[in-house]
Amino acid sequence: MTRYAMVTGASSGIGLAMAEALARRGRNLILVARHREMLESIAIEFTQRFGVEVLFRACDLGEPLRLSGFLLELEEGSRSIDLLVNCAGIGNSGPFLAQEWAQEQDLLDLNVLALTRLCHTVGNLMAVQGGGQILNVASVMGFQPGPWMSTYAASKAYVLHFSEGLREELHKTGVKISVLCPGPTRTAFFRTAQLDAGKFTHDNHMTAEEVALYTVRALDKNRAVIIPGWRNRLLTRVPRFAGRWITRKLWGSILKSRTSV
Ligand SMILES: NC(=O)c1ccc[n+]([C@@H]2O[C@H](COP(=O)([O-])OP(=O)(O)OC[C@H]3O[C@@H](n4cnc5c(N)ncnc54)[C@H](OP(=O)(O)O)[C@@H]3O)[C@@H](O)[C@H]2O)c1
């Protein structure tokens, strides 16, 4: 039976780079994001360049009803998924009380609920087929509170802790869980999260391709927590060395000065 790696958020940024890194290794793909035309052209390109089978499914994973329909298709379909990369995610920034509630809801629906439901459905399918691998995309922001990006940072803390917990739980089912915690990466994320791109020097930031290359190698080794880049690994240690009070103040002043709202 043909096996597929399914990548959500595959139309741009880290998800696209992950899909390309996997296709380069000969993996058949199922690409998921909202923009059908982008997925279609990526599928055609990867099929031609890498000779792999690339399917795509346009779906707004943050819409509970559309997500349910998609999950039902996966359950009733005959495609075997042996790798799920849960990369689709959004950020937002600015004072929490001034945010439109709909924006906060969208973030939680996608970053938390969709990711968790995909793990539940695909995890069950994998357990039945005797195993598989799931990579959830969190962030270095998941290691500490992120004032002025409080909901986003908390959603990534959820993804980090949920993934580590699940890894232990599913150990005996053959379903391996890893969590990717990238630091600042050159993608559209900064624009969509309304962070002031002008206040970030992207020189130190990794590219999505660098993150993906590091990650596929770490997945081969079944690493639990994957943090690409030494600067980012250092960042995740700040709370341990500086304590929670200093960490809150530090991230508060960094993020407040960089929100464009
Ligand atoms: N860039 C960074 O600095 C950074 C750092 C740490 C963690 N991350 C995490 O990395 C992941 C990927 O972000 P990125 O940096 O690659 O940003 P990006 O380029 O904006 O990619 C986001 C992806 O998610 C998809 N997406 C957004 N809303 C969706 C929805 N409702 N349903 C389905 N797909 C949706 C987008 O495609 P469509 O618009 O076509 O739907 C796109 O493919 C996110 O989880 C983010 O939190 C990023």
Side-chain angles (χ1 to χ4, degrees):
M1 185 190 270
T2 311
R3 301 205 156 205
Y4 297 85
M6 185 164 88
V7 183
T8 73
S11 64
S12 72
I14 297 170
L16 173 58
M18 279 300 296
E20 179 168 349
L22 293 167
R24 203 177 282 284
R25 288 169 155 226
R27 299 294 307 256
N28 299 310
L29 296 171
I30 303 174
L31 310 176
V32 186
R34 287 168 304 180
H35 291 91
R36 171 179 298 279
E37 303 75 28
M38 289 168 87
L39 294 177
E40 189 171 14
S41 71
I42 294 163
I44 293 168
E45 184 197 326
F46 285 2
T47 306
Q48 286 170 352
R49 277 173 65 201
F50 305 114
V52 292
E53 190 183 342
V54 187
L55 310 174
F56 63 90
R57 173 69 158 83
C59 180
D60 186 339
L61 299 172
E63 280 283 332
L65 279 178
R66 289 180 204 278
L67 174 64
S68 297
F70 176 51
L71 296 178
L72 201 63
E73 274 172 35
L74 293 177
E75 279 168 341
E76 291 179 348
S78 54
R79 312 226 184 261
S80 165
I81 297 166
D82 63 354
L83 171 64
L84 166 65
V85 179
N86 257 324
C87 192
I90 48 172
N92 65 19
S93 62
F96 173 72
L97 294 181
Q99 299 286 335
E100 294 288 342
W101 174 250
Q103 252 186 300
E104 300 288 318
Q105 180 84 53
D106 287 350
L107 185 149
L108 295 170
D109 281 345
L110 182 63
N111 293 12
V112 175
L113 290 177
L115 177 139
T116 309
R117 288 191 69 191
L118 275 156
C119 283
H120 188 256
T121 297
V122 178
N124 269 307
L125 293 171
M126 285 176 174
V128 169
Q129 78 192 10
Q133 200 165 20
I134 298 178
L135 174 74
N136 290 329
V137 180
S139 165
V140 292
M141 295 282 291
F143 286 84
Q144 64 261 311
W148 283 272
M149 289 187 84
S150 295
T151 320
Y152 176 73
S155 77
K156 293 303 180 179
Y158 172 88
V159 175
L160 175 59
H161 288 255
F162 170 67
S163 305
E164 284 199 85
L166 217 52
R167 182 178 173 92
E168 287 308 302
E169 257 188 65
L170 299 188
H171 182 57
K172 293 217 168 98
T173 66
V175 182
K176 301 173 196 158
I177 311 282
S178 299
V179 57
L180 168 64
C181 301
T185 308
R186 281 178 238 162
T187 69
F189 176 82
F190 290 85
R191 183 172 37 78
T192 51
Q194 294 175 301
L195 286 160
D196 189 344
K199 292 191 181 146
F200 284 91
T201 59
H202 285 282
D203 303 353
N204 291 336
H205 294 180
M206 293 177 81
T207 64
E209 290 71 25
E210 287 168 336
V211 169
L213 186 62
Y214 184 90
T215 303
V216 288
R217 289 179 180 156
L219 279 178
D220 288 341
K221 295 177 193 148
N222 188 24
R223 289 260 161 81
V225 181
I226 302 168
I227 308 171
W230 66 267
R231 282 191 188 87
N232 298 326
R233 286 193 284 281
L234 208 61
L235 269 184
T236 63
R237 281 157 205 253
V238 169
R240 196 182 307 165
F241 295 118
R244 297 191 77 83
W245 187 84
I246 292 180
T247 304
R248 280 198 304 275
K249 297 287 171 201
L250 184 70
W251 277 97
S253 72
I254 293 172
L255 292 171
K256 190 178 182 188
S257 68
R258 283 165 171 78
T259 57
S260 58
V261 185

